[in-house]
Amino acid sequence: MKAIVCVKQVPDTSGKVAVNPDGTLNRASMATIINPDDKNAVEAALTLKDNTGCEVVVVTMGPPPAEGMLRELLAMGADRGVLVSGREFGGSDTFATSQILAAAIKKIGVDAEDVVFCGRQAIDGDTAQVGSQIAEKLNIPQISYAADVKIEGKKVTVKRMLEDGYMTIETQTPCLLTCIKELNEPRYMSVGGIFDCYQKPVEVYDYNTLKDDPLIEVDTIGLKGSPTNIFKSFTPPQKGQGRMLEGADKNTAAELAAELLKKHII
Amino acid sequence: MAEFNNTNLADFSGVWVFCEQRQGELQPTVLELISEARKLADDMGVEVCGLLLGDKVEGMAKELGAYGADKVYVCDDPALATYTTDAYAKVICDVVMEKKPEIMLIAATNIGRDLGPRCAARLHTGLTADCTHLDVDVEKYIAFLKENSTLPEAQYASINKEDRNLKMTRPAFGGHLMATIICPRFRPQMATVRPGVLKKGEYNEEKANAVVVEKLPVAISEADIKTRVLEVVKEAKELVDLTGAEVVVSVGRGISKDVEKGIELAKELAAEFGGVLGGSRAAIDSGWLTADHQVGQTGKTVHPKLYIALGISGAIQHKAGMQDSECIVAVNKNDTAPIFDVADYGICGDLFKVVPLMIEAIRAAKAGK
């Protein structure tokens, strides 16, 4: 039995996003992190490993430095890493990305008892599409927004969140689950794990490794294989300077009320 | 799978809306989508079709007609009573392959965001997530850019006026960047649309009666559905209609000194405006409020007339969910808090002291009106 986890390295947008005066994003000031939802997915796989002794394989698509992130995940307890990296893969939208990741996952091998874990969405693109699209391309069932997961043999039971409640859904392995933060509390790397992580195997899958898969064709990967293209990107106009009301006293409150009255809000 | 793509884009016509229902209740956000589809279809000179899946749901067609649907395709089957990815994706893809719509809109609910990508992958087409603005007509798109972007005019003056692709605009990086995305080579052009962002049109009784309902055969077997829904639980809680509210008063970490009192003050202030209570992620993660109160990137996007932020620092994830509010008032102890960058009115002070004064002043202002 195996747990395969798809992970993405993303810019750390939490509180550190800075906008330049010309309105562009100041990326230089942003560090990269493991996408938060993906950490929950890794934790779910490691919990499965704790319970069943299964193998945990972490896979990411990205530039070569993403290997560092894979090492972190190996230090948390994953058994091996796969880095999918190649110029041919660059510029992929969600369709092309899932095409490539599905081919990589097929190469790793999805057996009858295996589970694929993804995060619900990445904080840079926020699309929440890649997990579902991978499941479609692997032709396995998916359950997204997983807040609780029980896996007994081949039976998988998931609490799937809705806006106003939840559904309990049952399915069989192999299947794909997308995880949300309510699912678990990701563990830290252990000191022993950090020592060992450089001994664990990390394979690199490039275009040549995957090119024989029917999913990998010129018109299904990379920029050329992406159905969607960016037409324009732009920054919204900065809001005009707001007004600070001086002194936090009765007069300030009255002034605010007067302003709101003037704007017909009250 | 769907080999028809890449063949002839001209074979595709019509603007479709997936009409999500849950337990026999039409999701209100669908009406926003139908209203928007009407505008797009008028620009293109085509029909608006609703696609309605469920068990005995035909009765909803009239309401869809009232907001702009010319036609509603109904797929009725007991197997469609409750949403499953497998059954819905199969039925939708079958119908889409047969009828060939040009545009397909889906609400970006937890269900729509599960269904959309599965269908797009099967149909081999593009899907843009969580759109906040849609255009087909180039003149209208340019007018939108003029108002909502800092692009120099030269950047959009050269856009081909004949372009009939759907221009799908969505925020990226928490709203600091906007991207307009197109899907020029594949059909249908699919988009999920953020609930609460587009405006619902007027109810039109005449159109409601004129809607054409076409029942489609449903070919689905047990073997097609690999998941089984054991139960659907609606969590009994007080309904928080954040997206529909005209006034939202939100609390953040700043109420930690006395959480109960802080929430009570915020509720009292909200009540003065007939508004609702919201919260930042910090307030939700600390267990002070339930998740349905959360405003922000991972919570709800609101654009009320008035947004009052009490003790919220204004992290980008929070601002992403409220910066389009018409008027923003922020109360914070720290005068360098980033929330003041988007606030129309800022008060630097202790919210426990300021809020009671605000309530008093607003009462007085109302009384004097």
Side-chain angles (χ1 to χ4, degrees):
Chain A
M1 183 188 191
K2 239 186 347 280
I4 300 172
V5 196
C6 301
V7 188
K8 186 178 187 188
Q9 192 173 43
V10 294
D12 183 4
T13 54
S14 67
K16 287 180 196 144
V17 173
V19 183
N20 296 322
D22 62 356
T24 58
L25 215 60
N26 183 354
R27 281 169 184 272
S29 69
M30 278 191 270
T32 55
I33 54 165
I34 303 170
N35 183 52
D37 285 348
D38 299 355
K39 263 194 161 174
N40 296 103
V42 171
E43 177 59 36
L46 293 174
T47 308
L48 190 63
K49 180 183 174 179
D50 293 343
N51 296 337
T52 64
C54 72
E55 186 192 20
V56 174
V57 187
V58 286
V59 49
T60 191
M61 181 168 101
E67 188 194 326
M69 176 190 67
L70 290 179
R71 295 284 174 200
E72 276 184 50
L73 301 171
L74 296 174
M76 280 168 74
D79 298 292
R80 63 184 169 110
V82 172
L83 172 64
V84 183
S85 198
R87 248 187 335 172
E88 295 85 350
F89 304 144
S92 292
D93 71 354
T94 65
F95 182 95
T97 300
S98 61
Q99 201 81 5
I100 299 158
L101 283 173
I105 291 167
K106 275 161 73 185
K107 178 102 185 156
I108 295 165
V110 183
D111 299 322
E113 293 193 333
D114 295 350
V115 181
V116 181
F117 293 93
C118 295
R120 172 193 52 165
Q121 69 191 61
I123 55 170
D124 54 353
D126 274 323
T127 66
Q129 294 177 356
V130 172
S132 290
Q133 297 197 330
I134 290 173
E136 169 65 23
K137 279 150 194 177
L138 296 173
N139 197 20
I140 58 175
Q142 74 191 47
I143 303 176
S144 51
Y145 290 86
D148 190 39
V149 175
K150 280 191 193 66
I151 299 173
E152 292 158 323
K154 292 196 69 183
K155 194 170 94 174
V156 180
T157 314
V158 177
K159 178 180 179 187
R160 183 219 193 269
M161 294 315 287
L162 296 170
E163 289 87 344
D164 55 354
Y166 62 89
M167 285 174 163
T168 310
I169 305 180
E170 197 182 275
T171 192
Q172 300 276 318
T173 60
C175 63
L176 183 144
L177 309 176
T178 78
C179 305
I180 58 176
K181 74 174 167 64
E182 284 79 2
L183 177 58
N184 52 40
E185 191 72 43
R187 67 191 67 184
Y188 290 102
M189 296 181 273
S190 64
V191 176
I194 296 170
F195 271 102
D196 293 342
C197 74
Y198 284 92
Q199 266 68 56
K200 290 182 177 176
V202 169
E203 279 175 89
V204 178
Y205 289 2
D206 61 8
Y207 175 71
N208 284 321
T209 321
L210 299 176
K211 71 171 192 291
D212 295 331
D213 192 293
L215 291 170
I216 303 295
E217 285 176 29
V218 197
D219 56 358
T220 55
I221 61 161
L223 197 58
K224 265 188 165 168
S226 296
T228 59
N229 311 133
I230 294 183
F231 184 65
K232 279 266 177 282
S233 69
F234 57 91
T235 43
Q238 295 272 3
K239 234 182 138 158
Q241 192 64 40
R243 237 184 93 200
M244 288 300 280
L245 304 174
E246 295 302 323
D249 54 20
K250 222 171 160 164
N251 292 336
T252 317
E255 199 184 335
L256 176 67
E259 289 289 341
L260 296 180
L261 201 58
K262 212 158 62 186
K263 289 197 166 186
H264 304 287
I265 291 171
I266 46 177
Chain B
M1 252 193 211
E3 300 299 337
F4 64 73
N5 277 309
N6 265 333
T7 51
N8 192 357
L9 301 184
D11 290 349
F12 294 79
S13 172
V15 182
W16 282 28
V17 174
F18 166 65
C19 302
E20 183 185 335
Q21 57 84 24
R22 294 186 190 176
Q23 276 65 57
E25 271 180 49
L26 194 66
Q27 295 296 294
T29 180
V30 168
L31 302 175
E32 300 162 8
L33 262 58
I34 290 273
S35 308
E36 181 70 16
R38 181 74 263 162
K39 286 189 219 156
L40 296 172
D42 288 344
D43 287 343
M44 302 162 78
V46 297
E47 272 192 332
V48 173
C49 301
L51 180 57
L52 185 56
L53 277 65
D55 187 23
K56 303 183 189 70
V57 289
E58 209 180 321
M60 294 173 198
K62 201 177 153 180
E63 191 172 12
L64 297 170
Y67 288 93
D70 298 299
K71 192 188 244 179
V72 177
Y73 291 116
V74 179
C75 300
D76 242 345
D77 193 284
L80 300 174
T82 300
Y83 172 76
T84 61
T85 316
D86 293 341
Y88 273 54
K90 177 165 195 310
V91 171
I92 290 172
C93 290
D94 285 352
V95 177
V96 166
M97 282 187 228
E98 194 199 319
K99 307 274 182 195
K100 298 185 170 45
E102 192 172 354
I103 291 174
M104 172 100 174
L105 306 180
I106 299 173
T109 60
N110 285 15
I111 282 176
R113 297 175 103 218
D114 181 84
L115 176 68
R118 188 95 195 191
C119 292
R122 192 170 300 177
L123 296 165
H124 193 147
T125 190
L127 170 67
T128 306
D130 285 16
C131 297
T132 53
H133 186 87
L134 300 168
D135 285 295
V136 171
D137 185 78
V138 174
E139 298 292 349
K140 286 187 184 168
Y141 177 66
I142 289 176
F144 163 74
L145 283 183
K146 274 187 186 154
E147 182 129 338
N148 296 288
S149 84
T150 50
L151 282 182
E153 199 147 334
Q155 278 269 337
Y156 49 76
S158 59
I159 299 174
N160 174 10
K161 299 286 187 295
E162 305 301 312
D163 186 333
R164 254 176 62 102
N165 283 308
L166 179 64
K167 290 160 271 292
M168 301 169 272
T169 304
R170 65 172 306 237
F173 288 105
H176 279 291
L177 201 64
M178 301 293 288
T180 301
I181 292 166
I182 51 168
C183 174
R185 295 173 297 136
F186 297 91
R187 295 291 181 267
Q189 307 167 82
M190 293 179 65
T192 62
V193 180
R194 210 150 193 199
V197 175
L198 302 177
K199 296 272 174 292
K200 188 169 86 173
E202 294 286 318
Y203 183 94
N204 182 327
E205 183 70 31
E206 214 172 293
K207 287 219 67 185
N209 294 325
V211 68
V212 177
V213 179
E214 187 176 333
K215 276 198 143 188
L216 297 175
V218 176
I220 194 125
S221 70
E222 285 271 312
D224 292 326
I225 309 174
K226 293 193 195 129
T227 54
R228 206 153 62 88
V229 178
L230 303 180
E231 58 172 347
V232 182
V233 179
K234 250 196 176 178
E235 274 166 344
K237 54 194 168 189
E238 138 191 34
L239 197 66
V240 188
D241 184 17
L242 271 180
T243 44
E246 295 216 324
V247 176
V248 177
V249 179
S250 287
V251 293
R253 215 189 298 273
I255 62 164
S256 62
K257 195 171 71 184
D258 185 349
V259 174
E260 263 174 51
K261 177 85 180 152
I263 289 176
E264 192 192 308
L265 281 173
K267 272 189 179 165
E268 209 179 316
L269 183 58
E272 282 304 316
F273 298 104
V276 300
L277 178 68
S280 69
R281 181 157 175 175
I284 276 76
D285 282 355
S286 308
W288 302 338
L289 293 171
T290 52
D292 48 350
H293 288 86
Q294 191 183 332
V295 174
Q297 197 170 3
T298 51
K300 298 210 173 77
T301 305
V302 298
H303 49 101
K305 280 194 180 144
L306 176 63
Y307 188 88
I308 303 183
L310 302 176
I312 294 177
S313 64
I316 170 165
Q317 283 85 351
H318 184 76
K319 286 197 278 191
M322 46 64 81
Q323 61 195 1
D324 289 333
S325 306
E326 278 174 40
C327 179
I328 298 169
V329 176
V331 180
N332 204 299
K333 262 175 148 164
N334 178 358
D335 64 0
T336 59
I339 192 77
F340 289 127
D341 297 341
V342 294
D344 296 276
Y345 300 103
I347 297 177
C348 180
D350 180 358
L351 70 96
F352 290 96
K353 292 196 186 102
V354 175
V355 176
L357 296 173
M358 280 165 73
I359 294 169
E360 208 177 293
I362 286 156
R363 277 189 193 144
K366 276 204 283 196
K369 198 159 64 170

